[in-house]
Amino acid sequence: MNAEIVVIAEVAAEGQPAPVSLELIAFAKSLRRNAAEPIRVFLPGRGIGAAAAELARLPGVAVTGIEGESLASYSAEAWKEALAPLLAARKTRFICVSHNANGADFAPGLAVRLGAACITAVEAFRIEAEGPIFSLSILKGKLQMEIVPEAETAVVTLLPGAFRRGDAPSSPMDKARKDGTNTTQNETVLLPEEFRRKEIPPTGVTTLKEKKSEVQGDRAGPPAAEMISVPDIPLKTRPLGLLPAPDEAADLAAAEVIVSAGRGIGGEENIELLRRLAFLFSRAAIGASRAVCDAGWLPCRYQIGQTGKTVSPRLYIACGISGALQHLAGMRGSQYIVAVNRDPQAAIFRVADVAVVEELVSFLPLLIAACRKHREGAAEAGR
Amino acid sequence: MKILVCIKQVPDAEAPIRIGADGRSFAVTGGAWRMNRFDEFAVEEALQIREAFPGTVVEALSVGPARAAAVLRRALSLGADEAIHILREGEEEPLPGEVAALIAAYVRDRGYDLILAGVMAEDDMQAQTGPMLAERLGLPCATAVVAETIPPNGMTIRVERELEGGLREALEMPLPALLSLQSGINRPRYPALSHVLRARTQPMMTVRAGDLPAPPRRERVVLLFLPAPAAKTLFLTGTPAEKAERLAELFREKALL
């Protein structure tokens, strides 16, 4: 039985391995039953030699760069055509893909082509005797689902940031760069910041400890990436290139206080209430969840989240935001989070410091009045 | 042109959810089910294409138990021409691989020029059914589509996909093709009265899932659970005015006001 775990890596715009790929490699390492199990990184693209070599310096991984004219720009069709034959021949246990725009695009089809199980948007996992049990959010984070593959091979997509590099001494990439070699160093399996501790049920949890002193294999000389090329096959999909991001205007990055609107505000007319609240703070700005921008209640430059802006203000007031992971990805770093939502099960409450279960439209005027009173009180006292 | 829109019935996002006795399914208090929001964009996009290409037929399809007929009625009331219900009994939600296989079995050789789906379902959030269906049918596919145009000859489709950080990627594909649509691609309309009246009585096609080839099951749901509440979260109590007062005090204490 082949115990190999495969990682499908990608190249960032600057020709370096994408950060999500490093996260994926750390994830793949934690899925191993023991440290001797091989990790194979596939890197499709054109002109990816440097990135492949960079990845090959990481401890404990073997790298195959897949070069091809058809891989010059991403398309699901080209990726599946290049990857499926290579993967079908390998009988891999897990194929790890990032759940980003491209990974989520090609991974499900790849799984079908390989007859593999497919588990997407994975946030955490626990290891049981029979293998890993993956968990993911459903119903906008109201529930967690635990799911296992029931096929020889499973394609697993990992939500970016779910398995973030912790405060480990340094990333393997940095280490490899510094040491210039990876034949002697011990390997540290990177753990996520908190490993989603609070979202894993208290019983039956296997906590992953750092696995140190892993078998490295005594390779002679510096590791090198294997490079293969795929034939130039005709594709139906024709990539037409990237389009620039729409205009950037809102002062979200600089704001110390963000009052953010979700679908729960009920309508465009209630944005004014949020503006009035924001007006009471200095350096405040209005933000929004994707749903609000989609509905046209605010322009898309106000959007905070995975496909919008990432913010970390001193105070984040989430108004009627359910707390889908895509939104949390953009505001989790806020120092103090206040959430107002009428749904007591809303996922936003799990990241909030202060939770208010109320109807926004009636609560915000009360809050605005109370804040005014406190400001005036402070002004009086200061005189 | 013949367009198929795949839609799913999901629980209302704000409805209270309970975990079923089996630990693997969920129940919605009050039976508050609705059309997956992402699929509303798919229905709207299909209707807009029909407006641009007269003679186009828009068919809506859903896999689910008897209650799922409600979202097909909704699609008809929005203006879809036909509705196909793949009736799959059982409260446990089918996984995307199974749904894609069922739809593929029905759709194959029916000559659709374009298949549209939402980018994901709001409930399981797996974003798999669309690209899996495309793979099963051998169609080119683009996911998270935020814009599409079909040139007048109706032979190809040009799409823009949403990438991270606001970037977009443009692609051109020949038809037939499958797109999964990201929210915000359009503004879904409200049902017109004439359509609502027609939708009430219009028959739909029902296909029993059991009459289609058995779909594969390659994943198994082990357990659903409620995430533990974060220990640090302070839930304010009292009347709304008391909560507002306490929150203002907290802002003051933290020197935020």
Side-chain angles (χ1 to χ4, degrees):
Chain A
M1 176 181 178
N2 191 340
E4 187 181 63
I5 297 176
V6 162
V7 169
I8 312 297
E10 57 190 284
V11 181
E14 312 77 37
Q16 293 291 307
V20 289
S21 300
L22 303 184
E23 183 184 26
L24 267 185
I25 291 169
F27 170 69
K29 286 182 175 174
S30 312
L31 291 177
R32 290 180 297 186
R33 285 169 294 211
N34 61 66
E37 288 184 355
I39 303 229
R40 168 69 57 175
V41 179
F42 282 113
L43 180 69
R46 191 185 62 180
I48 41 88
E54 185 86 35
L55 285 169
R57 295 164 77 94
L58 292 174
V61 301
V63 178
T64 302
I66 309 172
E67 281 272 2
E69 210 42 50
S70 60
L71 302 171
S73 315
Y74 168 81
S75 76
E77 196 185 356
W79 255 235
K80 286 186 291 187
E81 289 290 342
L83 288 167
L86 293 169
L87 291 166
R90 297 188 88 91
K91 303 278 184 214
T92 301
R93 261 176 87 214
F94 295 109
I95 299 168
C96 306
V97 181
S98 178
H99 195 75
N100 57 10
N102 290 352
D105 190 52
F106 76 81
L110 181 65
V112 167
R113 196 170 292 191
L114 296 172
C118 189
I119 298 177
T120 48
V122 165
E123 292 163 26
F125 66 93
R126 59 193 170 101
I127 305 278
E128 293 293 328
E130 62 275 24
I133 298 180
F134 297 99
S135 66
L136 45 103
S137 285
I138 64 169
L139 295 158
K140 293 190 172 178
K142 278 190 184 183
L143 295 185
Q144 293 279 305
M145 176 192 269
E146 287 198 323
I147 187 165
V148 290
E150 294 204 312
E152 191 179 15
T153 300
V155 175
V156 177
T157 71
L158 179 72
L159 210 63
F163 204 81
R164 194 168 287 133
R165 289 185 275 174
D167 294 322
S170 61
S171 79
M173 188 64 87
D174 298 335
K175 251 183 172 176
R177 275 206 194 105
K178 200 169 68 192
D179 299 0
T181 170
N182 65 3
T183 50
T184 53
Q185 78 201 45
N186 288 338
E187 181 185 352
T188 306
V189 170
L190 296 173
L191 291 175
E193 254 161 7
E194 44 192 7
F195 198 52
R196 310 222 150 232
R197 229 173 275 122
K198 56 190 179 185
E199 284 160 29
I200 292 175
T203 52
V205 179
T206 326
T207 314
L208 287 171
K209 298 283 180 214
E210 288 199 354
K211 292 177 196 160
K212 290 192 173 158
S213 313
E214 298 197 325
V215 182
Q216 278 298 302
D218 289 320
R219 284 196 215 138
E226 175 195 13
M227 296 298 289
I228 57 176
S229 54
V230 290
D232 194 10
I233 33 158
L235 297 174
K236 293 177 183 167
T237 312
R238 194 160 67 89
L240 301 173
L242 296 180
L243 306 170
D247 65 307
E248 304 272 323
D251 273 338
L252 282 170
E256 290 190 351
V257 175
I258 294 176
V259 182
S260 201
R263 187 180 278 280
I265 65 166
E268 193 172 356
E269 63 281 6
N270 296 324
I271 302 260
E272 189 50 34
L273 278 174
L274 275 68
R275 284 194 209 283
R276 281 169 51 201
L277 177 60
F279 188 68
L280 297 172
F281 299 90
S282 57
R283 306 200 65 186
I286 296 279
S289 74
R290 173 167 200 122
V292 164
C293 299
D294 285 346
W297 299 345
L298 280 171
C300 64
R301 62 177 185 272
Y302 288 87
Q303 190 190 322
I304 292 167
Q306 196 177 340
T307 53
K309 290 202 172 57
T310 300
V311 297
S312 48
R314 287 178 64 205
L315 170 63
Y316 190 90
I317 307 178
C319 300
I321 288 176
S322 63
L325 270 154
Q326 284 72 7
H327 184 76
L328 301 187
M331 47 66 74
R332 230 184 184 135
S334 306
Q335 288 172 40
Y336 197 64
I337 300 171
V338 174
V340 186
N341 199 306
R342 69 175 175 195
D343 177 6
Q345 284 183 315
I348 189 77
F349 287 142
R350 288 198 303 278
V351 300
D353 295 281
V354 181
V356 180
V357 182
E358 284 297 339
E359 284 289 345
L360 270 164
V361 178
S362 54
F363 180 74
L364 283 186
L366 296 171
L367 179 61
I368 290 164
C371 287
R372 279 220 181 96
K373 196 186 75 185
H374 277 264
R375 260 171 64 117
E376 283 156 17
E380 291 289 315
R383 242 171 238 162
Chain B
M1 205 174 314
K2 194 171 163 187
I3 304 178
L4 182 74
V5 187
C6 303
I7 59 180
K8 182 176 184 182
Q9 190 183 42
V10 298
D12 192 307
E14 291 196 355
I17 302 286
R18 283 177 294 109
I19 294 171
D22 61 1
R24 295 190 306 276
S25 61
F26 55 78
V28 187
T29 307
W33 297 86
R34 66 191 310 285
M35 189 191 293
N36 177 35
R37 260 180 224 285
F38 296 101
D39 301 342
E40 290 179 350
F41 293 99
V43 172
E44 176 63 33
E45 200 68 13
L47 297 176
Q48 291 189 8
I49 294 171
R50 187 178 65 187
E51 283 157 13
F53 290 86
T56 294
V57 175
V58 174
E59 301 184 5
L61 180 150
S62 190
V63 176
R67 60 172 160 74
V71 292
L72 290 167
R73 290 261 170 249
R74 172 81 185 172
L76 290 172
S77 70
L78 288 166
D81 298 293
E82 303 286 341
I84 304 133
H85 185 179
I86 299 186
L87 183 62
R88 182 195 176 279
E89 300 292 358
E91 275 304 306
E92 195 174 329
E93 288 289 314
L95 290 167
E98 182 183 346
V99 174
L102 288 171
I103 300 175
Y106 171 80
V107 163
R108 198 178 301 281
D109 304 325
R110 278 179 204 266
Y112 292 104
D113 300 291
L114 180 63
I115 301 180
L116 301 178
V119 69
M120 67 171 98
E122 288 173 281
D123 54 359
D124 69 19
M125 299 164 66
Q126 290 269 280
Q128 291 182 10
T129 305
M132 282 184 161
L133 176 59
E135 177 65 28
R136 288 197 170 272
L137 298 172
L139 297 179
C141 169
T143 60
V145 170
V146 288
E148 60 78 21
T149 44
I150 301 175
N153 69 9
M155 301 292 282
T156 57
I157 190 163
R158 195 198 130 118
V159 306
E160 291 175 17
R161 296 181 58 229
E162 183 180 70
L163 306 182
E164 282 76 17
L167 274 178
R168 290 177 174 199
E169 174 187 59
L171 302 166
E172 188 181 61
M173 302 184 297
L175 293 176
L178 185 146
L179 311 182
S180 87
L181 304 185
Q182 183 55 280
S183 58
I185 186 172
N186 54 41
R187 296 282 158 76
R189 68 192 65 190
Y190 290 99
L193 183 60
S194 59
H195 289 314
V196 173
L197 295 174
R198 176 178 61 87
R200 268 188 211 155
T201 53
Q202 184 177 343
M204 336 184 165
M205 181 189 279
T206 302
V207 180
R208 293 194 168 276
D211 294 340
L212 296 169
R217 285 191 182 203
R218 297 181 180 133
E219 306 85 12
R220 179 170 54 87
V221 175
V222 178
L223 172 73
L224 300 183
F225 61 93
L226 287 164
K232 63 160 192 167
T233 306
L234 169 68
F235 275 83
L236 299 185
T237 54
T239 65
E242 285 164 358
K243 291 177 185 172
E245 176 63 23
R246 180 74 191 110
L247 189 50
E249 278 171 25
L250 284 168
F251 290 156
R252 191 74 238 164
E253 286 163 19
K254 298 248 166 210
L256 291 162
L257 256 184

